[in-house]
Amino acid sequence: MAAPRRVCVFCGSSMGFDSRYAEEARSLGTLLASRGIGLVYGGASVGTMGVIADAALAAGGEVIGVIPEALGSVEIAHAGLTELHVVADMHQRKAKMAALSDGFLALPGGAGTLEELFEVWTWAQLGLHEKPIGLVDVGGYYAPLLKFADHMVSEGFLAAGYRDMLSIDSDASLLLDSFADYVPPPRPKWAK
């Protein structure tokens, strides 16, 4: 795969209790812009979503938000983006973000962040896309999730190759570097 032109970042509409979460969102927004990589995200101005968007914009980057109509006032749609797509629902949001992106990164977040991550991971297992997926592991945030993924492998519910679709590093720069070398597993989940 070539270096990504745009990366979708899943992150929170909240800030979390640890200041490192916002710091990493700010750093990632700046990093994407400095590399000429467009940011695709959930379109909000609050939480770490707002932080990453503001940082990318301040660094001169392209920022594309995708927000469902119903969340425009709750998550407070960001008014200063390069583009803001308002869609009907969460399903359309995820599909639009995926279509606009060459890869995915997940910062620490809540159930919505995990739901978005799990959906694109599932789509990759099914062969619906061949895009890299990375977890920015701020302060070990994703260690319990990866331990559970390893448990799914050991219990026979997840093939090791599909577990390995998730790259993890505390350094987002290294994750982005790895995207250029990403090779998906050789066949979709149910291919014979």
Side-chain angles (χ1 to χ4, degrees):
M1 174 181 175
R5 196 169 66 88
R6 290 184 182 142
V7 169
C8 178
V9 178
F10 303 129
C11 51
S13 59
S14 297
M15 296 293 263
F17 294 133
D18 191 326
S19 63
R20 292 180 293 177
Y21 302 144
E23 290 167 15
E24 186 60 38
R26 189 173 297 107
S27 176
L28 180 55
T30 303
L31 174 66
L32 291 170
S34 73
R35 290 191 179 196
I37 299 171
L39 166 65
V40 177
Y41 85 115
S45 63
V46 296
T48 55
M49 292 196 327
V51 171
I52 193 172
D54 288 342
L57 289 166
E62 174 190 53
V63 180
I64 300 172
V66 183
I67 195 164
E69 290 175 286
L71 294 183
S73 60
V74 177
E75 289 185 350
I76 310 170
H78 199 298
L81 304 178
T82 309
E83 294 176 30
L84 179 64
H85 298 268
V86 179
V87 296
D89 56 38
M90 291 296 288
H91 299 291
Q92 287 183 12
R93 178 194 227 179
K94 291 177 291 185
K96 183 72 168 177
M97 289 192 304
L100 291 169
S101 304
D102 302 312
F104 306 93
L105 287 175
L107 287 169
T113 300
L114 292 178
E115 190 269 337
E116 292 167 330
L117 168 64
F118 272 75
E119 184 144 0
V120 297
W121 186 22
T122 301
W123 289 350
Q125 291 176 47
L126 297 174
L128 301 177
H129 73 77
E130 295 185 343
K131 301 172 185 180
I133 304 167
L135 306 177
V136 184
D137 194 32
V138 180
Y141 186 83
Y142 280 111
L145 174 66
L146 293 176
K147 184 175 180 179
F148 187 71
D150 291 339
H151 179 65
M152 289 189 285
V153 171
S154 69
E155 293 296 317
F157 288 101
L158 180 68
Y162 298 131
R163 156 54 184 91
D164 294 340
M165 287 175 156
L166 296 179
S167 299
I168 183 168
D169 204 294
S170 60
D171 187 336
S173 181
L174 294 177
L175 285 170
L176 287 172
D177 291 344
S178 74
F179 279 16
D181 300 322
Y182 177 72
V183 177
R187 60 193 174 92
K189 183 175 174 77
W190 288 289
K192 294 184 181 183

